[in-house]
Amino acid sequence: MALFGSARDASLINSINRELINRYIDTEVAFYKLSLNDTKANMYDESDSKTYYAPMRINCLILKEEKSYTGDDAYDSTRLGEFAFLRSDIKDKNIIIQEGDILEYDNEFYEIDGVGSSQYWTGRNPDTDLGIQERGEFGLSVAIKVTAHVTRRNRLNIQEVRAGINRPNNIPRNL
């Protein structure tokens, strides 16, 4: 029987991670879930105008790469990012992160390309551990890791990008 890695140890690790991420690091992203029912698809099951639910704020760890410029156009750039969410926070908020969802951080919108969850305490996933009946519950699935790329705002139905002339509210429109 293993000395460390029991459910009690996993609970301690989870509470320490929660305190670090939510109280001390405290880096929030806005999470926009894709609304499949409200998104109109064409005959190829593709859509140019996707619809998202209202954002939820989630704390996470973030690693952004530097901007890289594509082609000869100095205005066309891309950036990749990795976001690590604490699995227990995601589970408590009843969130399912999938490809195509959007994360907003540092005035940029990231479209999720991939979702992985292979960070385990003691290297064991309690959901798939083969010897779980003999040993009891050992291990902990710690984090959900997301890879994403920056997408253009005008492709999303999240913010109004261009809408006529900006005027203060107190000036009449006929001027």
PDB file of all heavy atoms in Angstrom, residues 109-140:
ATOM      1  N   PHE A 109      -9.096  37.784 -27.331  1.00  0.00           N
ATOM      2  CA  PHE A 109     -10.026  36.659 -27.302  1.00  0.00           C
ATOM      3  C   PHE A 109      -9.322  35.427 -27.858  1.00  0.00           C
ATOM      4  O   PHE A 109      -8.812  35.450 -28.975  1.00  0.00           O
ATOM      5  CB  PHE A 109     -11.282  36.973 -28.117  1.00  0.00           C
ATOM      6  CG  PHE A 109     -12.143  38.019 -27.480  1.00  0.00           C
ATOM      7  CD1 PHE A 109     -11.989  39.356 -27.799  1.00  0.00           C
ATOM      8  CD2 PHE A 109     -13.102  37.661 -26.555  1.00  0.00           C
ATOM      9  CE1 PHE A 109     -12.777  40.326 -27.213  1.00  0.00           C
ATOM     10  CE2 PHE A 109     -13.897  38.623 -25.956  1.00  0.00           C
ATOM     11  CZ  PHE A 109     -13.734  39.948 -26.281  1.00  0.00           C
ATOM     12  N   TYR A 110      -9.301  34.363 -27.071  1.00  0.00           N
ATOM     13  CA  TYR A 110      -8.636  33.111 -27.448  1.00  0.00           C
ATOM     14  C   TYR A 110      -9.694  32.058 -27.752  1.00  0.00           C
ATOM     15  O   TYR A 110     -10.569  31.799 -26.923  1.00  0.00           O
ATOM     16  CB  TYR A 110      -7.752  32.606 -26.306  1.00  0.00           C
ATOM     17  CG  TYR A 110      -6.547  33.449 -26.035  1.00  0.00           C
ATOM     18  CD1 TYR A 110      -6.615  34.585 -25.250  1.00  0.00           C
ATOM     19  CD2 TYR A 110      -5.313  33.100 -26.568  1.00  0.00           C
ATOM     20  CE1 TYR A 110      -5.499  35.363 -25.003  1.00  0.00           C
ATOM     21  CE2 TYR A 110      -4.185  33.869 -26.325  1.00  0.00           C
ATOM     22  CZ  TYR A 110      -4.296  34.997 -25.547  1.00  0.00           C
ATOM     23  OH  TYR A 110      -3.186  35.761 -25.303  1.00  0.00           O
ATOM     24  N   GLU A 111      -9.599  31.451 -28.931  1.00  0.00           N
ATOM     25  CA  GLU A 111     -10.484  30.343 -29.275  1.00  0.00           C
ATOM     26  C   GLU A 111      -9.789  29.045 -28.887  1.00  0.00           C
ATOM     27  O   GLU A 111      -8.637  28.812 -29.247  1.00  0.00           O
ATOM     28  CB  GLU A 111     -10.801  30.341 -30.766  1.00  0.00           C
ATOM     29  CG  GLU A 111     -11.798  29.278 -31.147  1.00  0.00           C
ATOM     30  CD  GLU A 111     -12.219  29.360 -32.600  1.00  0.00           C
ATOM     31  OE1 GLU A 111     -11.869  30.346 -33.285  1.00  0.00           O
ATOM     32  OE2 GLU A 111     -12.904  28.434 -33.057  1.00  0.00           O
ATOM     33  N   ILE A 112     -10.484  28.197 -28.158  1.00  0.00           N
ATOM     34  CA  ILE A 112      -9.903  26.972 -27.627  1.00  0.00           C
ATOM     35  C   ILE A 112      -9.701  25.956 -28.740  1.00  0.00           C
ATOM     36  O   ILE A 112     -10.627  25.639 -29.485  1.00  0.00           O
ATOM     37  CB  ILE A 112     -10.778  26.404 -26.500  1.00  0.00           C
ATOM     38  CG1 ILE A 112     -10.811  27.382 -25.330  1.00  0.00           C
ATOM     39  CG2 ILE A 112     -10.273  25.035 -26.054  1.00  0.00           C
ATOM     40  CD1 ILE A 112     -11.726  26.995 -24.206  1.00  0.00           C
ATOM     41  N   ASP A 113      -8.463  25.452 -28.847  1.00  0.00           N
ATOM     42  CA  ASP A 113      -8.105  24.441 -29.841  1.00  0.00           C
ATOM     43  C   ASP A 113      -8.093  23.041 -29.254  1.00  0.00           C
ATOM     44  O   ASP A 113      -8.427  22.079 -29.934  1.00  0.00           O
ATOM     45  CB  ASP A 113      -6.722  24.731 -30.426  1.00  0.00           C
ATOM     46  CG  ASP A 113      -6.670  26.054 -31.150  1.00  0.00           C
ATOM     47  OD1 ASP A 113      -7.659  26.416 -31.800  1.00  0.00           O
ATOM     48  OD2 ASP A 113      -5.635  26.740 -31.062  1.00  0.00           O
ATOM     49  N   GLY A 114      -7.664  22.898 -28.014  1.00  0.00           N
ATOM     50  CA  GLY A 114      -7.550  21.582 -27.410  1.00  0.00           C
ATOM     51  C   GLY A 114      -7.717  21.628 -25.910  1.00  0.00           C
ATOM     52  O   GLY A 114      -7.392  22.619 -25.262  1.00  0.00           O
ATOM     53  N   VAL A 115      -8.247  20.544 -25.354  1.00  0.00           N
ATOM     54  CA  VAL A 115      -8.474  20.429 -23.916  1.00  0.00           C
ATOM     55  C   VAL A 115      -7.862  19.114 -23.453  1.00  0.00           C
ATOM     56  O   VAL A 115      -8.122  18.066 -24.046  1.00  0.00           O
ATOM     57  CB  VAL A 115      -9.983  20.455 -23.580  1.00  0.00           C
ATOM     58  CG1 VAL A 115     -10.211  20.325 -22.088  1.00  0.00           C
ATOM     59  CG2 VAL A 115     -10.643  21.701 -24.121  1.00  0.00           C
ATOM     60  N   GLY A 116      -7.041  19.178 -22.416  1.00  0.00           N
ATOM     61  CA  GLY A 116      -6.426  17.972 -21.871  1.00  0.00           C
ATOM     62  C   GLY A 116      -6.494  17.970 -20.359  1.00  0.00           C
ATOM     63  O   GLY A 116      -6.610  19.014 -19.725  1.00  0.00           O
ATOM     64  N   SER A 117      -6.442  16.781 -19.786  1.00  0.00           N
ATOM     65  CA  SER A 117      -6.512  16.694 -18.325  1.00  0.00           C
ATOM     66  C   SER A 117      -5.637  15.545 -17.830  1.00  0.00           C
ATOM     67  O   SER A 117      -6.121  14.592 -17.243  1.00  0.00           O
ATOM     68  CB  SER A 117      -7.947  16.498 -17.870  1.00  0.00           C
ATOM     69  OG  SER A 117      -8.479  15.315 -18.425  1.00  0.00           O
ATOM     70  N   SER A 118      -4.353  15.637 -18.062  1.00  0.00           N
ATOM     71  CA  SER A 118      -3.464  14.546 -17.674  1.00  0.00           C
ATOM     72  C   SER A 118      -2.455  14.959 -16.608  1.00  0.00           C
ATOM     73  O   SER A 118      -1.333  14.484 -16.594  1.00  0.00           O
ATOM     74  CB  SER A 118      -2.737  14.013 -18.909  1.00  0.00           C
ATOM     75  OG  SER A 118      -1.982  15.039 -19.502  1.00  0.00           O
ATOM     76  N   GLN A 119      -2.846  15.859 -15.715  1.00  0.00           N
ATOM     77  CA  GLN A 119      -1.994  16.225 -14.590  1.00  0.00           C
ATOM     78  C   GLN A 119      -2.572  15.589 -13.343  1.00  0.00           C
ATOM     79  O   GLN A 119      -3.639  15.984 -12.861  1.00  0.00           O
ATOM     80  CB  GLN A 119      -1.924  17.741 -14.433  1.00  0.00           C
ATOM     81  CG  GLN A 119      -1.178  18.419 -15.535  1.00  0.00           C
ATOM     82  CD  GLN A 119      -1.032  19.900 -15.284  1.00  0.00           C
ATOM     83  OE1 GLN A 119      -1.736  20.478 -14.476  1.00  0.00           O
ATOM     84  NE2 GLN A 119      -0.097  20.527 -15.980  1.00  0.00           N
ATOM     85  N   TYR A 120      -1.869  14.574 -12.818  1.00  0.00           N
ATOM     86  CA  TYR A 120      -2.375  13.794 -11.702  1.00  0.00           C
ATOM     87  C   TYR A 120      -1.449  13.880 -10.500  1.00  0.00           C
ATOM     88  O   TYR A 120      -0.230  13.838 -10.648  1.00  0.00           O
ATOM     89  CB  TYR A 120      -2.539  12.318 -12.095  1.00  0.00           C
ATOM     90  CG  TYR A 120      -3.407  12.114 -13.312  1.00  0.00           C
ATOM     91  CD1 TYR A 120      -2.902  11.531 -14.457  1.00  0.00           C
ATOM     92  CD2 TYR A 120      -4.741  12.508 -13.303  1.00  0.00           C
ATOM     93  CE1 TYR A 120      -3.702  11.340 -15.567  1.00  0.00           C
ATOM     94  CE2 TYR A 120      -5.544  12.325 -14.399  1.00  0.00           C
ATOM     95  CZ  TYR A 120      -5.019  11.738 -15.535  1.00  0.00           C
ATOM     96  OH  TYR A 120      -5.810  11.557 -16.630  1.00  0.00           O
ATOM     97  N   TRP A 121      -2.028  13.986  -9.323  1.00  0.00           N
ATOM     98  CA  TRP A 121      -1.282  13.917  -8.074  1.00  0.00           C
ATOM     99  C   TRP A 121      -0.878  12.459  -7.879  1.00  0.00           C
ATOM    100  O   TRP A 121      -1.697  11.559  -7.992  1.00  0.00           O
ATOM    101  CB  TRP A 121      -2.155  14.432  -6.938  1.00  0.00           C
ATOM    102  CG  TRP A 121      -1.730  14.066  -5.562  1.00  0.00           C
ATOM    103  CD1 TRP A 121      -2.375  13.219  -4.718  1.00  0.00           C
ATOM    104  CD2 TRP A 121      -0.600  14.548  -4.852  1.00  0.00           C
ATOM    105  NE1 TRP A 121      -1.719  13.133  -3.534  1.00  0.00           N
ATOM    106  CE2 TRP A 121      -0.604  13.951  -3.590  1.00  0.00           C
ATOM    107  CE3 TRP A 121       0.438  15.419  -5.171  1.00  0.00           C
ATOM    108  CZ2 TRP A 121       0.357  14.186  -2.643  1.00  0.00           C
ATOM    109  CZ3 TRP A 121       1.394  15.667  -4.227  1.00  0.00           C
ATOM    110  CH2 TRP A 121       1.358  15.059  -2.983  1.00  0.00           C
ATOM    111  N   THR A 122       0.382  12.211  -7.630  1.00  0.00           N
ATOM    112  CA  THR A 122       1.035  10.902  -7.506  1.00  0.00           C
ATOM    113  C   THR A 122       0.988  10.102  -8.801  1.00  0.00           C
ATOM    114  O   THR A 122       1.236   8.901  -8.790  1.00  0.00           O
ATOM    115  CB  THR A 122       0.442  10.037  -6.358  1.00  0.00           C
ATOM    116  OG1 THR A 122      -0.881   9.653  -6.685  1.00  0.00           O
ATOM    117  CG2 THR A 122       0.501  10.755  -5.037  1.00  0.00           C
ATOM    118  N   GLY A 123       0.681  10.733  -9.903  1.00  0.00           N
ATOM    119  CA  GLY A 123       0.685  10.041 -11.193  1.00  0.00           C
ATOM    120  C   GLY A 123      -0.474   9.080 -11.393  1.00  0.00           C
ATOM    121  O   GLY A 123      -0.458   8.291 -12.327  1.00  0.00           O
ATOM    122  N   ARG A 124      -1.476   9.140 -10.555  1.00  0.00           N
ATOM    123  CA  ARG A 124      -2.615   8.230 -10.660  1.00  0.00           C
ATOM    124  C   ARG A 124      -3.909   9.004 -10.830  1.00  0.00           C
ATOM    125  O   ARG A 124      -4.199   9.924 -10.091  1.00  0.00           O
ATOM    126  CB  ARG A 124      -2.745   7.375  -9.403  1.00  0.00           C
ATOM    127  CG  ARG A 124      -1.603   6.446  -9.196  1.00  0.00           C
ATOM    128  CD  ARG A 124      -1.909   5.548  -8.011  1.00  0.00           C
ATOM    129  NE  ARG A 124      -0.699   4.831  -7.657  1.00  0.00           N
ATOM    130  CZ  ARG A 124      -0.204   4.788  -6.439  1.00  0.00           C
ATOM    131  NH1 ARG A 124      -0.811   5.397  -5.455  1.00  0.00           N
ATOM    132  NH2 ARG A 124       0.899   4.116  -6.196  1.00  0.00           N
ATOM    133  N   ASN A 125      -4.700   8.559 -11.777  1.00  0.00           N
ATOM    134  CA  ASN A 125      -6.037   9.101 -11.963  1.00  0.00           C
ATOM    135  C   ASN A 125      -7.001   8.206 -11.188  1.00  0.00           C
ATOM    136  O   ASN A 125      -7.151   7.030 -11.505  1.00  0.00           O
ATOM    137  CB  ASN A 125      -6.400   9.110 -13.448  1.00  0.00           C
ATOM    138  CG  ASN A 125      -7.751   9.728 -13.711  1.00  0.00           C
ATOM    139  OD1 ASN A 125      -8.467  10.109 -12.794  1.00  0.00           O
ATOM    140  ND2 ASN A 125      -8.107   9.825 -14.975  1.00  0.00           N
ATOM    141  N   PRO A 126      -7.684   8.748 -10.162  1.00  0.00           N
ATOM    142  CA  PRO A 126      -8.563   7.899  -9.362  1.00  0.00           C
ATOM    143  C   PRO A 126      -9.744   7.329 -10.157  1.00  0.00           C
ATOM    144  O   PRO A 126     -10.312   6.315  -9.772  1.00  0.00           O
ATOM    145  CB  PRO A 126      -9.047   8.823  -8.245  1.00  0.00           C
ATOM    146  CG  PRO A 126      -8.804  10.190  -8.729  1.00  0.00           C
ATOM    147  CD  PRO A 126      -7.654  10.120  -9.684  1.00  0.00           C
ATOM    148  N   ASP A 127     -10.091   7.937 -11.266  1.00  0.00           N
ATOM    149  CA  ASP A 127     -11.210   7.440 -12.071  1.00  0.00           C
ATOM    150  C   ASP A 127     -10.828   6.209 -12.888  1.00  0.00           C
ATOM    151  O   ASP A 127     -11.694   5.410 -13.233  1.00  0.00           O
ATOM    152  CB  ASP A 127     -11.720   8.535 -13.013  1.00  0.00           C
ATOM    153  CG  ASP A 127     -12.286   9.718 -12.239  1.00  0.00           C
ATOM    154  OD1 ASP A 127     -12.756   9.509 -11.102  1.00  0.00           O
ATOM    155  OD2 ASP A 127     -12.242  10.844 -12.770  1.00  0.00           O
ATOM    156  N   THR A 128      -9.536   6.047 -13.215  1.00  0.00           N
ATOM    157  CA  THR A 128      -9.128   4.940 -14.076  1.00  0.00           C
ATOM    158  C   THR A 128      -8.067   4.050 -13.444  1.00  0.00           C
ATOM    159  O   THR A 128      -7.513   3.201 -14.125  1.00  0.00           O
ATOM    160  CB  THR A 128      -8.588   5.480 -15.413  1.00  0.00           C
ATOM    161  OG1 THR A 128      -7.459   6.313 -15.148  1.00  0.00           O
ATOM    162  CG2 THR A 128      -9.649   6.248 -16.166  1.00  0.00           C
ATOM    163  N   ASP A 129      -7.773   4.228 -12.170  1.00  0.00           N
ATOM    164  CA  ASP A 129      -6.758   3.418 -11.498  1.00  0.00           C
ATOM    165  C   ASP A 129      -7.243   1.975 -11.409  1.00  0.00           C
ATOM    166  O   ASP A 129      -8.324   1.698 -10.888  1.00  0.00           O
ATOM    167  CB  ASP A 129      -6.482   3.991 -10.108  1.00  0.00           C
ATOM    168  CG  ASP A 129      -5.259   3.375  -9.462  1.00  0.00           C
ATOM    169  OD1 ASP A 129      -4.493   2.688 -10.169  1.00  0.00           O
ATOM    170  OD2 ASP A 129      -5.059   3.606  -8.255  1.00  0.00           O
ATOM    171  N   LEU A 130      -6.441   1.038 -11.921  1.00  0.00           N
ATOM    172  CA  LEU A 130      -6.857  -0.371 -11.984  1.00  0.00           C
ATOM    173  C   LEU A 130      -6.932  -1.027 -10.608  1.00  0.00           C
ATOM    174  O   LEU A 130      -7.765  -1.891 -10.380  1.00  0.00           O
ATOM    175  CB  LEU A 130      -5.901  -1.151 -12.885  1.00  0.00           C
ATOM    176  CG  LEU A 130      -5.889  -0.728 -14.341  1.00  0.00           C
ATOM    177  CD1 LEU A 130      -4.850  -1.524 -15.116  1.00  0.00           C
ATOM    178  CD2 LEU A 130      -7.257  -0.890 -14.963  1.00  0.00           C
ATOM    179  N   GLY A 131      -6.076  -0.646  -9.677  1.00  0.00           N
ATOM    180  CA  GLY A 131      -6.062  -1.292  -8.369  1.00  0.00           C
ATOM    181  C   GLY A 131      -6.848  -0.547  -7.316  1.00  0.00           C
ATOM    182  O   GLY A 131      -6.563  -0.634  -6.135  1.00  0.00           O
ATOM    183  N   ILE A 132      -7.864   0.203  -7.712  1.00  0.00           N
ATOM    184  CA  ILE A 132      -8.599   1.059  -6.780  1.00  0.00           C
ATOM    185  C   ILE A 132      -9.374   0.251  -5.742  1.00  0.00           C
ATOM    186  O   ILE A 132      -9.548   0.678  -4.613  1.00  0.00           O
ATOM    187  CB  ILE A 132      -9.505   2.042  -7.549  1.00  0.00           C
ATOM    188  CG1 ILE A 132      -9.871   3.216  -6.669  1.00  0.00           C
ATOM    189  CG2 ILE A 132     -10.760   1.356  -8.041  1.00  0.00           C
ATOM    190  CD1 ILE A 132     -10.428   4.377  -7.414  1.00  0.00           C
ATOM    191  N   GLN A 133      -9.837  -0.969  -6.083  1.00  0.00           N
ATOM    192  CA  GLN A 133     -10.606  -1.755  -5.126  1.00  0.00           C
ATOM    193  C   GLN A 133      -9.715  -2.259  -3.988  1.00  0.00           C
ATOM    194  O   GLN A 133     -10.132  -2.297  -2.840  1.00  0.00           O
ATOM    195  CB  GLN A 133     -11.276  -2.960  -5.815  1.00  0.00           C
ATOM    196  CG  GLN A 133     -12.446  -2.588  -6.688  1.00  0.00           C
ATOM    197  CD  GLN A 133     -12.019  -2.094  -8.063  1.00  0.00           C
ATOM    198  OE1 GLN A 133     -10.893  -2.298  -8.483  1.00  0.00           O
ATOM    199  NE2 GLN A 133     -12.921  -1.415  -8.752  1.00  0.00           N
ATOM    200  N   GLU A 134      -8.476  -2.636  -4.295  1.00  0.00           N
ATOM    201  CA  GLU A 134      -7.592  -3.174  -3.269  1.00  0.00           C
ATOM    202  C   GLU A 134      -6.984  -2.075  -2.405  1.00  0.00           C
ATOM    203  O   GLU A 134      -6.783  -2.256  -1.210  1.00  0.00           O
ATOM    204  CB  GLU A 134      -6.445  -3.989  -3.903  1.00  0.00           C
ATOM    205  CG  GLU A 134      -6.901  -5.212  -4.666  1.00  0.00           C
ATOM    206  CD  GLU A 134      -7.222  -4.907  -6.118  1.00  0.00           C
ATOM    207  OE1 GLU A 134      -6.573  -4.029  -6.704  1.00  0.00           O
ATOM    208  OE2 GLU A 134      -8.154  -5.538  -6.646  1.00  0.00           O
ATOM    209  N   ARG A 135      -6.655  -0.949  -2.996  1.00  0.00           N
ATOM    210  CA  ARG A 135      -5.913   0.093  -2.289  1.00  0.00           C
ATOM    211  C   ARG A 135      -6.794   1.191  -1.731  1.00  0.00           C
ATOM    212  O   ARG A 135      -6.356   1.981  -0.923  1.00  0.00           O
ATOM    213  CB  ARG A 135      -4.890   0.729  -3.232  1.00  0.00           C
ATOM    214  CG  ARG A 135      -3.790  -0.180  -3.669  1.00  0.00           C
ATOM    215  CD  ARG A 135      -2.722   0.620  -4.377  1.00  0.00           C
ATOM    216  NE  ARG A 135      -3.237   1.367  -5.480  1.00  0.00           N
ATOM    217  CZ  ARG A 135      -2.961   1.121  -6.744  1.00  0.00           C
ATOM    218  NH1 ARG A 135      -2.174   0.140  -7.068  1.00  0.00           N
ATOM    219  NH2 ARG A 135      -3.457   1.857  -7.701  1.00  0.00           N
ATOM    220  N   GLY A 136      -7.976   1.324  -2.165  1.00  0.00           N
ATOM    221  CA  GLY A 136      -8.775   2.490  -1.824  1.00  0.00           C
ATOM    222  C   GLY A 136      -8.516   3.580  -2.838  1.00  0.00           C
ATOM    223  O   GLY A 136      -7.841   3.369  -3.836  1.00  0.00           O
ATOM    224  N   GLU A 137      -9.007   4.769  -2.598  1.00  0.00           N
ATOM    225  CA  GLU A 137      -8.851   5.855  -3.570  1.00  0.00           C
ATOM    226  C   GLU A 137      -7.489   6.512  -3.415  1.00  0.00           C
ATOM    227  O   GLU A 137      -7.151   7.026  -2.353  1.00  0.00           O
ATOM    228  CB  GLU A 137      -9.956   6.894  -3.392  1.00  0.00           C
ATOM    229  CG  GLU A 137      -9.919   7.959  -4.450  1.00  0.00           C
ATOM    230  CD  GLU A 137     -11.080   8.924  -4.348  1.00  0.00           C
ATOM    231  OE1 GLU A 137     -12.142   8.534  -3.881  1.00  0.00           O
ATOM    232  OE2 GLU A 137     -10.894  10.088  -4.741  1.00  0.00           O
ATOM    233  N   PHE A 138      -6.698   6.492  -4.478  1.00  0.00           N
ATOM    234  CA  PHE A 138      -5.387   7.120  -4.496  1.00  0.00           C
ATOM    235  C   PHE A 138      -5.287   8.006  -5.721  1.00  0.00           C
ATOM    236  O   PHE A 138      -5.837   7.692  -6.769  1.00  0.00           O
ATOM    237  CB  PHE A 138      -4.271   6.075  -4.527  1.00  0.00           C
ATOM    238  CG  PHE A 138      -3.979   5.509  -3.182  1.00  0.00           C
ATOM    239  CD1 PHE A 138      -4.716   4.454  -2.695  1.00  0.00           C
ATOM    240  CD2 PHE A 138      -2.986   6.055  -2.388  1.00  0.00           C
ATOM    241  CE1 PHE A 138      -4.463   3.938  -1.443  1.00  0.00           C
ATOM    242  CE2 PHE A 138      -2.726   5.543  -1.132  1.00  0.00           C
ATOM    243  CZ  PHE A 138      -3.468   4.478  -0.657  1.00  0.00           C
ATOM    244  N   GLY A 139      -4.564   9.127  -5.583  1.00  0.00           N
ATOM    245  CA  GLY A 139      -4.359  10.028  -6.699  1.00  0.00           C
ATOM    246  C   GLY A 139      -5.410  11.120  -6.753  1.00  0.00           C
ATOM    247  O   GLY A 139      -6.357  11.153  -5.972  1.00  0.00           O
ATOM    248  N   LEU A 140      -5.207  12.027  -7.699  1.00  0.00           N
ATOM    249  CA  LEU A 140      -6.121  13.154  -7.885  1.00  0.00           C
ATOM    250  C   LEU A 140      -5.888  13.740  -9.267  1.00  0.00           C
ATOM    251  O   LEU A 140      -4.739  13.935  -9.672  1.00  0.00           O
ATOM    252  CB  LEU A 140      -5.843  14.235  -6.821  1.00  0.00           C
ATOM    253  CG  LEU A 140      -6.520  15.584  -6.977  1.00  0.00           C
ATOM    254  CD1 LEU A 140      -8.019  15.449  -6.722  1.00  0.00           C
ATOM    255  CD2 LEU A 140      -5.915  16.599  -6.032  1.00  0.00           C
TER     256      LEU A 140
END
